[in-house]
Amino acid sequence: MGATTRKKVHRKFKMRGYTLKMEALEEVLSFLSRFEDAEEEAIDLLLDELEKESLKSSIIDRDSVHRVTSLLLEAEAAVEATAASSNRSPLRIIDAFVVPRFRYDSVKKTFYEHTGKLPLHGDASAKAALYRDRFELLLQRISRDPHFSKPVFDPEMIHSGNRSCEISSIQSLIGHTGRRWIMGVISQLEDGRFYLEDLTEAIHKVTTGFFVENTVIVAEGELLPNGTFQVNTCGFPPLEDRDETLAALVGLDFFGGGSLTMEETLRLSALEKKAVNDMFVILSDIWVDDEETMEKLATVLEGYENVEVVPSLFVLMGNFCSRPCNLSFNSFSTLRSQFGKLGEKIGSCPRLKEHSRFLFIPGPDDLGPSTVLPRCALPKYMVEELQMHVPNAIFASNPCRIKFYTQEIVVFRQDLLYRMRRSCLVPPSAEETSDHFEHLVATISHQSHLCPLPLTVQPIMWNYDHCLRLYPTPHTIILGDKSEQKAFKYTGITCFNPGSFANDSTFVAYRPCSQEVELSAL
C-alpha cells in the first residue's frame, strides 16, 4: 500500500473524528489490500461499521479494527458461498422500456423519478420536455464543474483581473459587453439559419466546432451591437467523472439495474475481479437469409464450442435480413423459418446451449412497428421456432443495457456514424484526431445521449428519450454500426464497434472484468 492510500485513510478517519494508532492503520491497510479497485467504498464501509461499535475512545486501536474487518470478511465469504451454491447469473439484461425516467427540478436542484405509465404517443408538451430535459441534465452537470461554477470569494482572482467562466443565460447578455460564456442548443429556427438557444432566448450564428443540429454546446464570445454573438471558442459541455456523478445522485438508479448499497457494491466488485473467465462475443449484421453469413456464424460457434471456458454471453445484433423489412417485404414465413435454422445451429453446440446466453437485438431495418427509437424487441411470431431450440435466448429492445456485477454496459445498433457525418454543420476538427469514430464517441459522451441527431433525421419517442441517455457515463458502450470495426477508450469509457459480420466477417470478444476488447475476424 502506497503513501497515497495511507493519507486517504488518515483523512477519512479524521473526517469522522477518529485517530488511528500505527497498528490499527496496518490492519486497515491489510483489509484494503483485498479491494484495490474499490478502496473508497471499502474505507467508508469500514467506518460505517466502526460507528456501530461501542468505542470507548476516538483513538482507534488494532483490536477494534480487527473485530470489524473480521466480521466484514466473514459476511463476504458467506455471501460468496451462497452465490456459488445458487445458479443465479451475475448478468442482467435491461430492456429500454423499463429504464426509470428522472427529471431535474432546477429550483430544488434535485432529480425526481416519474411515477405512473408513460404513453408511447406523447403530446406536444412531451416534445418540448425532451429538449428541455436534455438541456437541464447537462446544465446541472456543468454547474458542478470547478471551471464553470461561480466563485464565492476569491481575492486572488479579483486582484489578477481574471474573470469567472460562469455560464450566463442568453437573455442576460442584452445590454452587457465583454466576454461571456453561454450554453445552448443549436436550433434551426428558420430554414438555413442556425441559432444558439437556451431556456430564455435565442441568438444567431454558430461559427466553429463539430456540431449537429440539436446538440448542446458551450461557447465563449461577445455579443455585438447587431445582436450577433461572436464566438471565439466553443465546444461540448465538459464531462464529469462517473464517481462524482454517482455521489451527486445519492443512490438514484438511472441505469435501471436496481440501486446497490455500499456493502453490495463492495461485494460485487470483489466477485467481478475474480470473473476473469467471463467473456462476451458481439456480432452485428447476422443475416439469417444469407447462406454465406450463416456458414461463417457456424464457424464462430463451433470455434467457441471447443474452447476450455465457453463465453458467458453472445450478443447477436441486426440487421437479421439482407434487405430492409419495410412495407414492400412479404417473406415473413420464410424469415421465421430462417430464424428457426439459426436456432438449430446454436442448438447443435451443446456446451454453448447449456452454459452461454444469447441476446438478440434488432437492427434499424429489422421487422418492427416503425424505425422510431427505442425499438422494441423482435416480434414473438418471428422467433418462436428459434426459441424452441434455444430456450434461454433473450430478445431485447434497441438500445438495451447489460448489468454485469457492477459493470454498466449500453448496447446500441444503429448506423450512427454515417448519419452524424451527413448531419454535421461544420467539418470535424482534425487538431486532436482525424478518426471519425473517435469524434462520434466524444460527441455522444459529452452530450450524455446515444443519438443526438435531429428528430427529422432519427425519430425518437418523445416520452422515452431518457432510454437513450448516457448518464451517469456507463463503463462500456457497444455501438453496432455497418462502418469499419473500431475500438476507442475515451475518458475511462470503453467504446467499440464490432463491424458488420455479414459484410466484413468481423466481430468482438470482450472481457468485462478487465474491459479488454479483442477485435476479431474470420
Side-chain angles (χ1 to χ4, degrees):
M1 285 284 171
T4 309
T5 307
R6 289 172 178 267
K7 285 179 184 176
K8 192 189 295 180
V9 170
H10 274 301
R11 187 181 72 251
K12 289 249 184 190
F13 271 77
K14 194 174 182 181
M15 285 170 68
R16 302 271 189 118
Y18 297 127
T19 305
L20 280 171
K21 288 185 177 180
M22 185 57 70
E23 312 86 58
L25 174 63
E26 295 303 322
E27 187 72 25
V28 172
L29 294 175
S30 173
F31 174 72
L32 294 182
S33 65
R34 298 173 61 94
F35 309 100
E36 287 178 17
D37 296 335
E39 282 182 358
E40 294 273 353
E41 293 90 342
I43 298 168
D44 289 337
L45 180 61
L46 182 56
L47 281 163
D48 290 344
E49 293 300 317
L50 268 172
E51 285 178 350
K52 295 176 187 176
E53 297 282 308
S54 52
L55 300 169
K56 295 176 182 176
S57 168
S58 62
I59 300 170
I60 309 295
D61 58 17
R62 181 187 175 281
D63 291 341
S64 300
V65 175
H66 182 72
R67 191 163 57 248
V68 171
T69 55
S70 297
L71 287 169
L72 288 172
L73 294 174
E74 280 174 24
E76 185 206 7
V79 171
E80 273 191 46
T82 307
S85 62
S86 70
N87 292 321
R88 238 191 259 174
S89 171
L91 195 67
R92 285 192 62 190
I93 311 299
I94 301 148
D95 197 273
F97 292 95
V98 300
V99 171
R101 180 181 182 181
F102 288 89
R103 299 188 70 178
Y104 185 68
D105 187 328
S106 56
V107 177
K108 295 181 180 178
K109 309 289 185 190
T110 185
F111 283 95
Y112 63 92
E113 187 174 357
H114 174 87
T115 53
K117 290 186 178 179
L118 284 168
L120 291 179
H121 304 287
D123 54 19
S125 63
K127 185 179 182 182
L130 177 151
Y131 293 112
R132 187 177 63 247
D133 290 349
R134 284 191 197 180
F135 183 80
E136 289 189 333
L137 181 82
L138 297 178
L139 190 60
Q140 63 84 32
R141 191 183 79 188
I142 201 173
S143 68
R144 291 192 293 272
D145 190 290
H147 296 100
F148 289 95
S149 54
K150 185 177 180 179
V152 179
F153 182 72
D154 192 340
E156 190 179 323
M157 181 177 283
I158 293 169
H159 292 310
S160 64
N162 290 336
R163 302 186 68 169
S164 162
C165 294
E166 181 194 357
I167 298 293
S168 303
S169 67
I170 291 174
Q171 197 174 48
S172 71
L173 296 177
I174 300 166
H176 288 82
T177 57
R179 190 180 72 146
R180 290 286 188 276
W181 287 87
I182 60 172
M183 178 167 148
V185 182
I186 300 174
S187 306
Q188 190 174 184
L189 303 182
E190 303 169 35
D191 283 347
R193 289 171 68 85
F194 291 92
Y195 290 75
L196 193 59
E197 183 181 17
D198 68 3
L199 299 176
T200 63
E201 278 291 344
I203 58 170
H204 179 233
K205 209 164 184 186
V206 175
T207 55
T208 57
F210 167 42
F211 308 121
V212 175
E213 186 185 344
N214 288 3
T215 51
V216 178
I217 67 165
V218 177
E220 178 267 317
E222 187 173 357
L223 188 66
L224 302 179
N226 66 359
T228 300
F229 188 73
Q230 184 176 334
V231 176
N232 298 324
T233 57
C234 63
F236 293 131
L239 268 176
E240 184 176 58
D241 183 73
R242 176 182 163 83
D243 291 337
E244 288 179 28
T245 306
L246 293 174
L249 296 179
V250 201
L252 297 176
D253 175 31
F254 274 64
F255 194 75
S259 53
L260 299 172
T261 64
M262 195 180 295
E263 192 168 0
E264 287 171 326
T265 304
L266 191 63
R267 176 179 64 81
L268 289 173
S269 295
L271 291 173
E272 183 184 306
K273 201 174 172 183
K274 296 173 184 176
V276 290
N277 290 324
D278 281 278
M279 182 172 73
F280 301 167
V281 177
I282 300 101
L283 307 97
S284 182
D285 281 345
I286 305 297
W287 295 348
V288 296
D289 63 334
D290 182 71
E291 211 170 293
E292 186 185 346
T293 303
M294 287 296 94
E295 286 173 5
K296 291 191 295 185
L297 181 62
T299 304
V300 172
L301 293 173
E302 286 163 13
Y304 283 113
E305 168 74 7
N306 296 314
V307 296
E308 189 178 344
V309 181
V310 297
S312 317
L313 178 71
F314 283 85
V315 180
L316 304 180
M317 291 189 278
N319 297 320
F320 288 103
C321 192
S322 58
R323 58 194 177 99
C325 296
N326 51 28
L327 293 173
S328 64
F329 187 84
N330 55 14
S331 308
F332 299 115
S333 58
T334 307
L335 187 59
R336 173 187 161 97
S337 65
Q338 286 161 343
F339 268 110
K341 288 176 183 175
L342 171 59
E344 284 178 29
K345 286 188 188 299
I346 296 170
S348 66
C349 302
R351 291 181 68 224
L352 295 184
K353 183 180 175 181
E354 185 180 351
H355 301 291
S356 301
R357 298 174 78 181
F358 289 83
L359 171 63
F360 293 83
I361 298 170
D365 293 326
D366 277 323
L367 199 61
S370 72
T371 57
V372 69
L373 291 174
R375 288 180 65 97
C376 56
L378 290 165
K380 190 177 179 183
Y381 163 79
M382 201 55 58
V383 297
E384 275 178 334
E385 290 188 22
L386 187 153
Q387 274 189 300
M388 289 167 60
H389 299 285
V390 192
N392 64 347
I394 306 162
F395 300 93
S397 61
N398 180 26
C400 80
R401 302 176 177 200
I402 301 170
K403 186 96 172 183
F404 180 76
Y405 292 111
T406 64
Q407 293 261 328
E408 294 182 355
I409 302 165
V410 174
V411 187
F412 186 40
R413 172 65 184 95
Q414 183 63 272
D415 296 325
L416 194 56
L417 185 57
Y418 170 77
R419 290 183 168 201
M420 290 289 280
R421 291 180 67 183
R422 279 283 304 244
S423 304
C424 238
L425 302 176
V426 182
S429 167
E431 279 186 29
E432 291 185 13
T433 178
S434 57
D435 191 309
H436 291 291
F437 183 72
E438 294 182 14
H439 281 291
L440 173 64
V441 173
T443 304
I444 65 173
S445 301
H446 283 271
Q447 294 296 311
S448 289
H449 198 278
L450 273 173
C451 192
L453 284 166
L455 297 184
T456 50
V457 176
Q458 175 54 65
I460 292 173
M461 289 182 192
W462 300 340
N463 279 327
Y464 286 86
D465 184 67
H466 66 282
C467 303
L468 281 82
R469 286 181 189 167
L470 297 172
Y471 186 82
T473 51
H475 297 90
T476 305
I477 304 170
I478 301 171
L479 291 175
D481 199 296
K482 65 181 179 184
S483 61
E484 184 188 355
Q485 182 186 55
K486 287 275 183 181
F488 179 49
K489 191 140 187 165
Y490 184 69
T491 62
I493 307 166
T494 303
C495 192
F496 60 86
N497 167 26
S500 174
F501 184 72
N503 290 312
D504 306 324
S505 307
T506 56
F507 61 97
V508 161
Y510 176 65
R511 295 192 181 275
C513 170
S514 57
Q515 294 184 28
E516 178 189 339
V517 180
E518 185 183 318
L519 300 178
S520 309
L522 285 181

